[in-house]
Amino acid sequence: MGSFGLTLLLTSVPAVQSTAIGNAGQAYGAAAAATSVVVLIYIARTFRHQSDESRLHREVLEAQTAELCLQRESSQGQHKTVQRSAEAAVRARHIKLLEMAIKDPVLMQCWPIYGIADSEELRKQYIYCNLIISHHCMCYELGYFTDEEVEQTLYHTFSNSVVRKFWEATRPARTRTAQHGGQMRKFYDMAELAYLRQLSDEGVA
């Protein structure tokens, strides 16, 4: 509104309507137009520069995010490795205890009786069967066996009648120790399927 009023004022004053003033006005208009073009170019370059900076910042943030993801995955992998090593150490200690009991009848009396294993010979056999099943379970939990491989291995293991008797005798204990989900419960379920399949085949491997 101010520009419109100033324009009306200048065009209505006779003193400013001379040819020289008109030429000066045209020159000023041309200069203003040229200046506007320069300003637009500068603004465009400024926007372009800001856009490039934003893109660089975005790329840096994406790279940092990717690095954090890699570090997290590496940390999780190290945690799993440490956990598996600890589990293997615990199982090795358990195996050592069972080996001592198998070699010494006095130590054998310290272990609970498996089902109807009322003789020393059968108790030794059942403890050894426990070692076999525990070994397969550890291999499965550590990722050495796939589901199909562990089931086939257990199917072959249950071709032995002593192992089948052990598995039948320890059913109540397994139900109590692995009631819910997890790798061990899944292993027991696959072992049960292999056991039943072996029974349906009349124990022929």
Side-chain angles (χ1 to χ4, degrees):
M1 292 178 63
S3 299
F4 179 71
L6 181 60
T7 302
L8 290 178
L9 178 62
L10 292 176
T11 55
S12 62
V13 177
V16 298
Q17 295 182 358
S18 63
T19 303
I21 293 177
N23 292 334
Q26 291 180 358
Y28 174 78
T35 303
S36 299
V37 171
V38 173
V39 171
L40 288 175
I41 294 175
Y42 175 77
I43 292 175
R45 291 185 61 185
T46 302
F47 285 161
R48 175 68 178 275
H49 181 67
Q50 290 178 349
S51 176
D52 291 341
E53 286 185 346
S54 298
R55 179 175 54 81
L56 290 175
H57 285 311
R58 185 172 64 253
E59 291 176 354
V60 170
L61 290 175
E62 290 176 352
Q64 291 176 348
T65 302
E67 180 67 20
L68 289 175
C69 291
L70 290 176
Q71 291 178 358
R72 184 181 61 184
E73 291 177 358
S74 177
S75 177
Q76 291 176 347
Q78 292 176 356
H79 175 71
K80 290 181 179 179
T81 300
V82 172
Q83 185 177 6
R84 288 179 176 179
S85 298
E87 291 175 356
V90 172
R91 291 179 184 273
R93 176 62 60 181
H94 178 247
I95 291 173
K96 181 64 177 178
L97 292 174
L98 292 178
E99 288 178 346
M100 294 171 61
I102 291 175
K103 294 177 182 179
D104 192 336
V106 177
L107 298 180
M108 174 68 69
Q109 299 300 320
C110 299
W111 285 88
I113 299 175
Y114 290 100
I116 58 175
D118 50 0
S119 67
E120 180 180 341
E121 179 180 357
L122 190 56
R123 290 183 69 183
K124 283 186 177 182
Q125 290 178 337
Y126 277 10
I127 286 181
Y128 189 73
C129 290
N130 182 40
L131 288 176
I132 295 174
I133 299 298
S134 297
H135 173 73
H136 293 331
C137 182
M138 182 181 65
C139 290
Y140 175 69
E141 290 180 340
L142 295 180
Y144 294 112
F145 284 157
T146 63
D147 291 2
E148 182 178 353
E149 289 172 343
V150 74
E151 187 175 349
Q152 186 61 33
T153 300
L154 290 168
Y155 173 79
H156 178 70
T157 302
F158 286 129
S159 63
N160 184 280
S161 60
V162 178
V163 180
R164 291 199 305 272
K165 291 177 182 178
F166 162 78
W167 186 257
E168 181 66 31
T170 54
R171 265 204 179 99
R174 287 194 305 275
T175 303
R176 291 192 303 267
T177 57
Q179 297 180 4
H180 308 292
Q183 286 289 93
M184 183 173 290
R185 180 70 263 174
K186 185 178 180 181
F187 172 83
Y188 284 158
D189 291 341
M190 289 188 295
E192 184 67 18
L193 290 176
Y195 169 76
L196 295 175
R197 187 158 62 96
Q198 186 62 253
L199 285 183
S200 67
D201 294 341
E202 297 180 355
V204 178

